[in-house]
Amino acid sequence: MPRPFLTNRCQECRSRKIKCDGHRPVCLRCQQASRNCQWSNRSPREQQSRSPTTPDQSLTTRPRSAEYVSTKDPETALRNPHIATIFRYYIEHLAGWYDLNDVKRHFGHIVPSCARRNSLLLSAILAFAAASQSSSFLKKDLWDLAESYHLESVQALLQLTENPDEFQTGETLAAICLLRSYEIISQNVSCQNHLQGSYSLLASRPAGLEAGLLSAGFWNYLREDITVALIEKRSLMIELSQEHLPPTVEGEDDLANRITYLLGKVINRCLNQDSSPLEQHEWHSLGDELDMWRASLPASFEPIRTPGLYGQSNFPSLWTVSGWHASSLQYYHTALAILSIAEPMQTGMNTLQQIQRINDFEEKLDHHAVQVSALAIFSNSAPVWVNSFGPISFCGPWLRDSQRVHELIEETRKWGGKTGWPVASIVESLSRSGTRG
């Protein structure tokens, strides 16, 4: 993997457009000229991607938080009560987001154990957990600490890129997933620094052929990519291949991963702005794959209907016994909604037939939106909701009942507050549809 290009000039040299030796805290040119040597300390919230692999150098130079304790020796860092509390918050409240479709719970069990000896993994956990608590509980001191650990994580990633063998590990990919969540929590939903930086790792190590943390990290990486793609209405950053699929389906978690793959495949084919319209045979082929997946589900995936489960609601009270049941069905309905929009136009239809086609089209999209929304609302689960924000963003605006739209907006705001997830853009798109209704 090539070493990324880094901007390494102080502000004075940059403004004068002269070469800078990069010496800190005062470069030699400024020292010789008796100038005030300053380096950029912009927040990660303000950063834009400067290369396809890493953030620019200014991300690695901002001041540390006063409560910051280096993770270079993880065991020593975890002896600090404040750091240990943040670490435990991840284990108790956030790891479940990543273990949504993982029966072995790699992010809840394996990742914390690995973080006791892996500085990058520990700093990524602390960055994400502190940012999540800061967003949920509005604690400015935790945000400063989150930025400090994000900075440390970026520095560690830069060092790892010099050794591909050390970079291409499940622990590194797990850290990248955590840092991706940090970027989302920090209101930088569309920032692609760490996703792009890990692309070559993923492309060279098909997850379906491996077990363990690397595979678990891949499926999390893919779900995060799906979430952002659905919100931004674009294709994924991953070019999926058949090799990513497990060769056999051995458990329900494999079924959950399979529909994740199928949704990603539909997104890449239909939401790529440069792609051609679907041909009839393609459209039928993708639909057949979804139908085969649905037919293969055991009875345990079927939602349970319990009217009045959480009081009155405008949605059918659908709930499942496992989070991956809910998320899988949401992905299924989202894929069908995309295919409904992508259906090839039929020629030779008269006006009345076109009207009927439009009515049928809107009814289908409303049905998929109702299913996606109900499964989120009645899950009462933070991991399910975090995974639902993408499907809700895409499907929710197709709801035709204004009361349902308003209820979904309130529930989205509530779970955005509980998880620290930025939902303003989702609420805005739902509000526009509610106005139309």
Side-chain angles (χ1 to χ4, degrees), residues 90-390:
Y90 162 78
I91 296 172
E92 295 167 4
H93 299 283
L94 304 177
W97 296 14
Y98 300 90
D99 290 331
L100 176 64
N101 292 351
D102 185 1
V103 68
K104 294 183 179 179
R105 299 197 60 204
H106 284 88
F107 276 76
H109 295 155
I110 306 300
V111 165
S113 296
C114 292
R116 296 185 62 181
R117 56 175 173 74
N118 185 310
S119 175
L120 168 61
L121 200 48
L122 179 58
S123 61
I125 287 174
L126 295 176
F128 167 46
S132 178
Q133 290 181 80
S134 175
S135 297
S136 298
F137 309 124
L138 302 178
K139 293 184 177 181
K140 178 64 169 61
D141 59 327
L142 284 176
W143 177 251
D144 292 340
L145 196 60
E147 288 186 319
S148 293
Y149 283 113
H150 177 257
L151 164 61
E152 184 172 309
S153 299
V154 170
Q155 292 173 330
L157 276 175
L158 289 175
Q159 293 176 356
L160 281 176
T161 58
E162 298 178 355
N163 189 334
D165 290 336
E166 292 184 15
F167 187 84
Q168 293 180 331
T169 67
E171 293 177 15
T172 301
L173 182 53
I176 288 168
C177 291
L178 293 161
L179 292 172
R180 182 62 183 126
S181 296
Y182 165 89
E183 289 173 345
I184 292 174
I185 293 295
S186 66
Q187 307 282 330
N188 202 355
V189 175
S190 61
C191 182
Q192 304 300 321
N193 293 329
H194 303 298
L195 283 178
Q196 290 186 359
S198 62
Y199 177 80
S200 60
L201 180 155
L202 297 173
S204 63
R205 301 285 290 273
L209 304 181
E210 305 201 34
L213 189 52
L214 189 61
S215 178
F218 168 79
W219 291 112
N220 274 284
Y221 180 109
L222 177 55
R223 290 205 309 274
E224 287 176 329
D225 202 5
I226 284 174
T227 296
V228 179
L230 290 173
I231 291 173
E232 298 187 345
K233 312 297 185 293
R234 60 160 175 79
S235 58
L236 304 177
M237 300 193 69
I238 303 176
E239 295 181 10
L240 294 173
S241 71
Q242 195 69 23
E243 290 181 318
H244 288 111
L245 274 177
T248 59
V249 175
E250 298 179 357
E252 290 188 349
D253 53 334
D254 289 331
L255 288 167
N257 289 334
R258 185 168 288 270
I259 190 60
T260 302
Y261 168 86
L262 292 176
L263 173 57
K265 185 176 177 180
V266 169
I267 289 173
N268 276 352
R269 181 61 184 89
C270 300
L271 300 187
N272 186 334
Q273 63 178 357
D274 297 323
S275 64
S276 59
L278 284 182
E279 300 287 345
Q280 280 286 350
H281 69 91
E282 279 187 286
W283 186 78
H284 284 295
S285 176
L286 290 170
D288 289 344
E289 287 188 89
L290 292 171
D291 290 344
M292 288 174 60
W293 176 85
R294 186 67 176 88
S296 72
L297 297 183
S300 56
F301 272 77
E302 290 299 325
I304 301 170
R305 289 179 176 267
T306 309
L309 180 62
Y310 295 128
Q312 295 299 313
S313 173
N314 296 293
F315 291 93
S317 55
L318 304 176
W319 62 281
T320 59
V321 296
S322 172
W324 65 51
H325 297 151
S327 65
S328 296
L329 293 172
Q330 286 178 318
Y331 274 7
Y332 168 71
H333 284 286
T334 303
L336 288 179
I338 295 173
L339 282 185
S340 294
I341 299 169
E343 182 178 1
M345 292 289 293
Q346 297 180 22
T347 58
M349 297 179 68
N350 63 32
T351 303
L352 293 179
Q353 289 172 324
Q354 289 283 13
I355 292 173
Q356 184 60 48
R357 179 183 182 278
I358 292 172
N359 288 337
D360 292 343
F361 169 75
E362 292 182 344
E363 186 176 341
K364 285 180 184 178
L365 292 177
D366 176 72
H367 168 72
H368 297 312
V370 168
Q371 297 297 305
V372 165
S373 303
L375 288 164
I377 290 171
F378 291 98
S379 71
N380 199 32
S381 163
V384 171
W385 262 99
V386 167
N387 206 66
S388 297
F389 288 131

Side-chain angles (χ1 to χ4, degrees), residues 75-96:
E75 289 292 342
T76 299
L78 289 171
R79 293 192 191 107
N80 181 291
H82 188 48
I83 301 306
T85 299
I86 298 172
F87 184 66
R88 288 183 56 140
Y89 184 85
Y90 162 78
I91 296 172
E92 295 167 4
H93 299 283
L94 304 177

